[in-house]
Amino acid sequence: MTSDRVSVPLTPAVFHILFALATGDKHGYEIAKQVAEDSQGQVSMGTGTLYGSIKRMLADGLIEQAENRPAPELDDERRRYYRLTAEGRRALHAEVQRYARVVAVAQDRDLLAPA
């Protein structure tokens, strides 16, 4: 279970950002690209949603700004990189477990069979 600061279910934007960061540190544009890839193009995150969510997630302790950056010649110094915190990993794990329970019930009810 997550702490008192973060409740499950997570908003879709928060879930997708945490899910994208589960594979490593990313800057905003990388997060948006990863979300689009993970969702097979079904979720497109605009800059307002992305950076508004990042701001709230930083305040909630779900993510933090990463200190390690690529070599300067490989990166734009204006980019900020983000990573999951332990709290963010716990929240993501709780949400994925919640989804797994929903999928198990859907399977039991034959709701995942082709229509």
Side-chain angles (χ1 to χ4, degrees):
M1 193 81 187
T2 59
S3 77
D4 293 337
R5 290 190 296 178
V6 179
S7 60
V8 173
L10 301 173
T11 66
V14 169
F15 171 76
H16 283 290
I17 293 168
L18 292 176
F19 197 67
L21 289 173
T23 58
D25 300 356
K26 292 178 179 55
H27 58 75
Y29 180 63
E30 284 179 308
I31 293 169
K33 285 188 347 187
Q34 188 69 54
V35 166
E37 183 180 318
D38 290 345
S39 68
Q40 299 177 334
Q42 297 297 306
V43 176
S44 176
M45 200 167 289
T47 57
T49 298
L50 175 66
Y51 289 104
S53 296
I54 286 174
K55 183 178 178 181
R56 286 186 300 279
M57 294 167 73
L58 286 164
D60 288 341
L62 295 173
I63 62 173
E64 62 190 4
Q65 197 165 324
E67 295 176 16
N68 296 335
R69 300 179 59 89
E73 65 274 7
L74 301 175
D75 192 37
D76 183 333
E77 66 185 33
R78 295 170 293 177
R79 288 183 177 149
R80 290 187 174 90
Y81 284 76
Y82 303 97
R83 72 165 43 112
L84 291 179
T85 61
E87 181 67 19
R89 284 200 183 280
R90 283 190 293 274
L92 178 60
H93 177 76
E95 187 73 344
V96 169
Q97 292 302 309
R98 187 179 76 82
Y99 285 175
R101 288 188 299 274
V102 169
V103 169
V105 170
Q107 287 173 327
D108 287 346
R109 295 180 184 172
D110 288 328
L111 296 174
L112 296 179

